[in-house]
Amino acid sequence: MVLQYRPAHEYPHVSIIRPLKGIDRDMQRTLESSFRQEYPASLEILFAVEDPHDPAIAVVNQLIARYPKISARILVGQDNVGINPKVNNMLKAFDQAQSDLLWICDSNVYTDPGTLRRSVDLMLDDRRIGVVHHVVFSESPDTLGAMLDNAFLVTNHCRMYLAINSFGVASCLMGKSNLYYKSALDSVGGLASFGQYLAEDNMIGQALWRAGWKHTMTGDLARQPTDIDSFAEYCRRRIRWVRVRKYNVTVATLYEPFTESIVLGLLTAWALHHLYALDIISSFSTFFSCWFALDMLFFYRINHGPPPSWIWFVVSWLCRESLALPLWIAAIFGNTVMWRGQKFRLHINGTVDVVK
C-alpha cells in the first residue's frame, strides 16, 4: 500500500529537543536518527547539556559536521527551576525553540526516519491532539539486569501501555519520545512548572489531559538500547518507578498486581476450583502457559521478528514475572528513591524534595 501524504508546504517547522548527560550506549546511532528524519519541512535540533565538559558534546559535534544542511546547535547550562535535572537541562532549549511543535526525545532513543512525519500528520489531522507519543521498546540486552528490563519493557509494559492508550480512559504517557505543541505546554503552566516532579512526563500528560488535549500514538517505536548493568540495578529501577507512580497515579499502581500473570493466574485457578472443582495446579499451569504464549506472540508482532536468543528471553521473562510482586511490595512500603546519585523523598501530591 502506498502512503498518501499531504503536500510538503502544509508541514510546519519542528524543533527537536534532545537532552544530554554523559555517553549513552550506541549514542551516535540514537542521536543520528534525528538528523535522518525524512521530513518535508525545515527542522532544528537543539541539544541541551548541563556541563560544558560533557563527553556527549564531542559526539554531537561529529554529527553536526556530518549533516551541515541540518540546523543543529548545542545549548550549555541549566536553569534551576526544580529538583528534576532533565527539566532544568531542557528549559533553555524549550525557551529558544523556534517552532510551536516540539519533539522531546531522550538521548538514548532511536526512531525510524518516518517517525516525525507520521506524528505531525496526526496532529494536523486533529488540532485537539496536544501530544503524540511513541511506545518504548528495549533492545540489545547483554547482562542479566538488561535482560530482565528488556523482558519487562517489551511485554508487560508495552502491552499495558498500548492497552491503556487504545481505550483512552486516562493519560498514560512516558517521556522518551513525545511531540507537543509548545503553546499547549504553556497553557498548562509551561515546562518549568513541572520541574518539581520526578515523573515530569506523566504529570505533563495528566495536565494536558485535564485541559482537554487529546493524546495519540503512531505505530512507531522509541527503540532504547538497554543500559542496565546488574540485577540489583534492575530491581532498584523497578522499585523507584513503582514508588513514584504510587504518588502520581495511586489507584492504577495499587491495581498493578492484578495485571500480572502470577497473581491473576492464582486468582483464576482458585475461582475455577471453587466454582467447578478443577485442580488448582493444572488450572494455574494452563493459565500461565497461555499467558506466556500470548506474550511471546505479542513480542514477535511488535518486534517484527524473534529475539536474538529465545532461550535467554524465556529465562529472563520467567524471572521478571516471578519478581513482579516482590518488587511491587518493596516499592509500596517506602517513600524515598535514589535517582542519578541523589536521594529524594516523595510526597502524596507527586512532588519531591532532596534528602540531604
Side-chain angles (χ1 to χ4, degrees):
M1 182 180 66
V2 178
L3 295 177
Q4 297 297 319
Y5 294 114
R6 53 179 37 88
H9 69 270
E10 294 186 11
Y11 286 91
H13 178 74
V14 175
S15 297
I16 302 175
I17 297 177
R18 300 207 70 155
L20 309 172
K21 186 176 178 62
I23 299 294
D24 298 313
R25 184 176 177 183
D26 205 10
M27 190 173 197
Q28 182 165 308
R29 171 178 172 263
T30 58
L31 295 183
E32 189 174 18
S33 66
S34 290
F35 288 88
R36 299 181 67 238
Q37 287 299 308
E38 297 169 353
Y39 189 65
S42 61
L43 56 83
E44 65 173 347
I45 309 174
L46 304 175
F47 295 95
V49 61
E50 175 184 328
D51 184 354
H53 304 293
D54 195 301
I57 293 176
V59 178
V60 174
N61 281 328
Q62 291 176 3
L63 291 171
I64 291 175
R66 186 180 302 171
Y67 296 92
K69 295 183 179 180
I70 302 294
S71 175
R73 53 198 172 109
I74 302 170
L75 303 177
V76 181
Q78 70 168 355
D79 299 280
N80 291 308
V81 296
I83 57 84
N84 189 309
K86 180 180 176 181
V87 172
N88 290 340
N89 184 21
M90 288 194 302
L91 197 59
K92 55 187 174 292
F94 181 84
D95 291 339
Q96 295 186 39
Q98 298 176 11
S99 173
D100 190 37
L101 274 180
L102 298 179
W103 185 11
I104 298 178
C105 189
D106 281 3
S107 60
N108 64 343
V109 165
Y110 169 88
T111 52
D112 290 329
T115 301
L116 178 58
R117 185 170 192 167
R118 287 186 287 269
S119 301
V120 173
D121 272 327
L122 292 180
M123 299 190 87
L124 295 180
D125 288 340
D126 185 348
R127 297 291 179 169
R128 290 304 300 167
I129 292 175
V131 55
V132 176
H133 51 124
H134 311 111
V135 66
V136 176
F137 194 84
S138 172
E139 58 184 12
S140 305
D142 56 4
T143 66
L144 176 58
M147 290 175 184
L148 289 169
D149 197 53
N150 176 258
F152 166 72
L153 286 172
V154 303
T155 58
N156 177 274
H157 177 270
C158 190
R159 171 170 27 85
M160 293 303 297
Y161 194 87
L162 291 173
I164 294 171
N165 281 287
S166 295
F167 283 105
V169 295
S171 170
C172 181
L173 198 65
M174 192 172 182
K176 285 291 181 179
S177 175
N178 297 339
L179 181 68
Y180 303 98
Y181 283 117
K182 185 178 182 181
S183 55
L185 287 175
D186 285 335
S187 72
V188 294
L191 183 63
S193 66
F194 297 95
Q196 60 186 318
Y197 306 106
L198 280 187
E200 86 293 336
D201 49 0
N202 180 66
M203 301 308 289
I204 288 172
Q206 289 190 46
L208 291 173
W209 184 273
R210 289 192 296 268
W213 290 99
K214 296 180 181 178
H215 299 10
T216 193
M217 304 174 69
T218 67
D220 296 287
L221 301 175
R223 292 187 175 270
Q224 171 185 297
T226 312
D227 59 353
I228 294 182
D229 295 325
S230 67
F231 173 80
E233 186 180 352
Y234 166 77
C235 293
R236 288 193 295 269
R237 180 176 289 189
R238 293 277 66 79
I239 289 172
R240 177 171 70 243
W241 292 118
V242 171
R243 196 166 282 175
V244 169
R245 288 200 306 275
K246 177 181 68 172
Y247 292 100
N248 292 336
V249 283
T250 304
V251 174
T253 304
L254 294 177
Y255 184 73
E256 272 185 31
F258 301 100
T259 68
E260 296 284 358
S261 60
I262 292 180
V263 172
L264 195 56
L266 289 173
L267 289 173
T268 301
W270 174 84
L272 291 174
H273 176 74
H274 179 74
L275 294 173
Y276 305 109
L278 297 182
D279 180 69
I280 290 180
I281 295 178
S282 298
S283 296
F284 176 78
S285 299
T286 301
F287 180 95
F288 195 69
S289 298
C290 291
W291 191 284
F292 165 78
L294 290 172
D295 258 1
M296 296 306 99
L297 177 62
F298 177 81
F299 171 83
Y300 196 93
R301 292 293 301 275
I302 293 293
N303 189 57
H304 302 295
S309 170
W310 274 115
I311 294 176
W312 282 110
F313 189 80
V314 171
V315 170
S316 60
W317 182 89
L318 289 170
C319 291
R320 206 298 302 180
E321 297 296 306
S322 302
L323 286 167
L325 184 60
L327 292 178
W328 180 87
I329 292 172
I332 289 298
F333 294 100
N335 68 341
T336 61
V337 296
M338 291 294 298
W339 191 40
R340 296 189 179 187
Q342 180 66 61
K343 191 174 185 179
F344 298 93
R345 180 178 291 105
L346 304 163
H347 300 292
I348 197 168
N349 64 352
T351 61
V352 297
D353 56 41
V354 176
V355 178
K356 298 181 180 180

